[in-house]
Every structure is written in structure tokens, then in C-alpha cells.
Amino acid sequence: MDALKSRFTDKVTAAPDPAAVTALAAKLKSAGKKAGAEDRIDLAAMLAHAAFLSPDRVAQIYDALATGWSGKEVTAAPIQTLDEDPMPAPEGLWDAWWAVASDAMAGQLDASGITQRTANLGGMMPEAFLARLAELSYFYPGVRDASAAPMPEPIKLDTLAACPPNSLGRQFHDLIVDNKFDLEVLDREALGLTQLPAPLEYLNTRMLQSHDLWHITAGYETTALHEIAISAFQMAQFGHNYSAQFLSIMAAIGARSDVRGFTMLTETIVTAWIHGRQTEPMLRIDWESEWVKPVDELRREFAITPYKSPYPANIIEKGLAFQAFIAKIRGVFGGIFGRKPALQD
């Protein structure tokens, strides 16, 4: 493992060339069960570089990954970059990043633990990083118009309970109540989201508020595997940086795990990324005006095609395959939103 950490540290500072990302992804896909750990850690380094040092290049790098892995280009307009040099890594960032991945691999982090530890990594970044995130956010379709709206008011459970059966509002209500989820996932005030520069304060608040609505309408179940998938989806939709940082850690776990688990992880990320890039911006949906409509009607109205999962959504919970990989990361994949993965039949 020390050799992989050393290789990662050497590779992560270099800005990845999209053509090199595509070539590496194609190599890993064709290698199948023979995909080497060094190639896998190189991919993790590329994704970590984009997440922490060149966040405006996340879309470029993930498009290149998807092209190499799937064998065809993503059919969506390219996302503009800032064309700036990578930012310097704060002192201790990569040791801290590696520690999160290692502790997760060792089963020492539960869902809330990996959420907090990943958030702490983001907290190490300088103010200039936030300014860069704010600027690049406007490159994603729909962000400028959506973020011009007033900060959304908290959603009330009573409002949802009053919605008719089979409506979006009632389905949202039942998902929250039946699974004992928090209505807006995390406390927006405790997170200090209003202190973020525009449009990040709106984007992060609205994403916490509508995360489970995206699950419902975009066809992502609340299982461990689909929490990873929806992270890639929302990253493709508006450049969600926390998701980019989280997925870079998942890539490191995949690099250090059974190759079959790496394949499942990468295939899930790629397919959900493509889904997000090819879906019209969901930020434009005024959910508060849509509670009484059935989900199928909303999908038709906003041209949303449900996600087609390459694996059973509950494969991790059921333990159908990839046992060596699953034993090390069970409970981790749900961590991005601070909840334990739900067991679904």
C-alpha cells in the first residue's frame, strides 16, 4: 500500500491531459480482471487532482473518463473551463485525503464519519478555491437562471402530507417518514451555507433540500450503490464539488480493492455521469409548484429519463457479489449525505 500512496502523491500534482484520461480508462476497461492497481491509482490521482486543484476541469476529466470507459463520446455540449493553472495543494491535504481513504477501507468510518472527514478536506481549501468554484458554477446549464431565485424556504412535512396519493409530494413524504430521513438531509444553518459566495450558497442549499426529490424523479434508489451514482449525476448537472471530492476517495478505495469492485464502482460512476450530462438541468424545477403531480408526469414535462443502473441497486446490501470489496466499504457509500444505506428487497 505504501507504494500506491507514493505513486499517488507523485501523480496527483500533475494536471491530467484529457486524452491521457481517455486512454487510461479504455485500458482499464479492456483489461477487465487484469486491471492493475497502479493504473487504478493513477486514475484516482487524476480525479483527485480535478476535485481539489483544478475544479473547473472536473467536467472535462469526467467526460474523458466516460469516453474511454464507454467507448463513445458523451453527447452533451462541453463544459467550459477557466483555463487557469492548477491551484497549489494546502499543506497536509494529500496525507489527510489518503487517511480518509485508508480509514474507510479499514472499516473505521461510518456514514457520518466519512461525511465529516470529506467535508474537513474541503475545509482545508483556501478562499481562492471557493471563488474558483463560484466562477465555474456558471458554466453549467441552468445554474445562472436557477441561482437568481430567492433562497428557498424550508419544506414542511405537513405540506407534503396533504398531497394526494401517487403525487410527488406524497411520495417524497413517505420516503422521508418511512426511512426516518431528515427532510433537508442536513441543517443548512449549521453548515453555514449562507456564508458561501454566490451561486454556491443557493446551489448547496437547494441540493440538500431537493436531493431526495432528485432520487425520486431521476430514478435513483436510496441504496449504497445509488448514492454513489447520484453523486456523479449531480456533479454532472452543476459541478457539485463535494461529490467530486467524495468520488475521488471512492476511486482510491476501488484502486486498493478487488478489481471486480473497481469495475462496479467505475461503471456506476460513468453511467450516472453520462445520465447527468444528458439530462436537462433539474435545478430549473420549482418543486414547490409541482407537489400534486405524479412523478411520471413530471418526467415527461421536464424530459427526465430514469437512470438505468448497470447493477442491481441493492447489490451491496444484498451482498450478491464482490464480497472482498463490499466487506471493506459497506456503510461508506451512503456517507456522502450523512445517512446509512437503506436495505431494500
Side-chain angles (χ1 to χ4, degrees):
M1 292 304 178
D2 287 343
L4 288 183
K5 179 180 178 181
S6 178
R7 186 179 180 91
F8 172 87
T9 303
D10 289 342
K11 297 280 187 178
V12 73
T13 56
D17 176 68
V21 176
T22 296
L24 178 58
K27 178 182 178 182
L28 287 165
K29 179 67 175 291
S30 64
K33 295 180 180 179
K34 296 181 179 179
E38 290 187 347
D39 285 336
R40 287 183 275 151
I41 204 64
D42 286 355
L43 180 61
M46 292 171 171
L47 301 185
H49 177 98
F52 290 93
L53 306 185
S54 299
D56 57 299
R57 297 187 61 214
V58 162
Q60 182 186 59
I61 297 306
Y62 274 84
D63 275 354
L65 166 63
T67 297
W69 188 266
S70 69
K72 54 187 177 182
E73 293 187 1
V74 177
T75 55
I79 303 296
Q80 182 182 340
T81 71
L82 294 172
D83 196 25
E84 296 180 4
D85 293 335
M87 304 187 71
E91 184 177 356
L93 173 65
W94 300 124
D95 285 340
W97 182 94
W98 194 265
V100 177
S102 296
D103 289 350
M105 282 284 294
Q108 297 175 7
L109 293 179
D110 60 10
S112 62
I114 195 168
T115 299
Q116 186 59 57
R117 292 278 295 277
T118 305
N120 290 345
L121 294 177
M124 296 176 69
M125 306 306 293
E127 288 187 11
F129 181 78
L130 282 179
R132 193 160 176 169
L133 288 182
E135 185 176 0
L136 72 88
S137 295
Y138 290 116
F139 295 153
Y140 285 80
V143 167
R144 189 172 297 278
D145 289 342
S147 60
M151 288 292 285
E153 294 293 327
I155 297 170
K156 296 181 179 179
L157 199 61
D158 289 348
T159 300
L160 303 177
C163 293
N166 300 318
S167 66
L168 171 68
R170 179 64 68 83
Q171 193 169 338
F172 186 27
H173 171 276
D174 293 348
L175 176 68
I176 298 300
V177 172
D178 293 348
N179 291 280
K180 296 181 172 63
F181 289 163
D182 291 327
L183 188 57
E184 294 196 4
V185 183
L186 297 172
D187 187 333
R188 61 168 86 176
E189 297 299 332
L191 292 174
L193 298 184
T194 58
Q195 305 304 312
L196 295 174
L200 301 181
E201 86 281 43
Y202 177 88
L203 294 175
N204 285 277
T205 299
R206 194 56 162 168
M207 193 65 254
L208 286 178
Q209 191 175 58
S210 59
H211 172 70
D212 287 314
L213 292 166
W214 285 35
H215 265 287
I216 293 168
T217 53
Y220 291 86
E221 298 185 27
T222 55
T223 62
L225 188 67
H226 277 205
E227 288 293 354
I228 296 178
I230 202 170
S231 297
F233 178 84
Q234 63 197 23
M235 188 171 63
Q237 282 271 298
F238 67 98
H240 193 227
N241 186 249
Y242 181 93
S243 292
Q245 294 176 353
F246 173 77
L247 291 177
S248 74
I249 293 171
M250 293 300 102
I253 293 174
R256 301 170 66 193
S257 303
D258 183 278
V259 70
R260 294 169 298 174
F262 165 79
T263 299
M264 179 178 71
L265 174 67
T266 308
E267 183 74 18
T268 297
I269 291 172
V270 165
T271 54
W273 169 263
I274 294 172
H275 184 219
R277 291 280 282 123
Q278 296 179 348
T279 298
E280 291 296 314
M282 289 179 59
L283 286 170
R284 64 185 171 143
I285 301 175
D286 179 22
W287 299 106
E288 291 82 355
S289 301
E290 309 292 352
W291 294 139
V292 300
K293 294 180 181 178
V295 172
D296 285 345
E297 181 178 338
L298 284 167
R299 287 173 176 168
R300 289 192 298 270
E301 181 177 347
F302 293 102
I304 301 169
T305 300
Y307 175 58
K308 295 180 180 179
S309 184
Y311 298 93
N314 60 358
I315 191 171
I316 294 175
E317 288 80 0
K318 289 293 188 180
L320 297 179
F322 316 145
Q323 291 301 318
F325 178 73
I326 292 166
K328 293 178 180 177
I329 61 170
R330 186 184 177 107
V332 170
F333 283 154
I336 186 168
F337 289 104
R339 62 175 54 150
K340 295 181 180 179
L343 178 61
Q344 297 190 2
D345 293 328

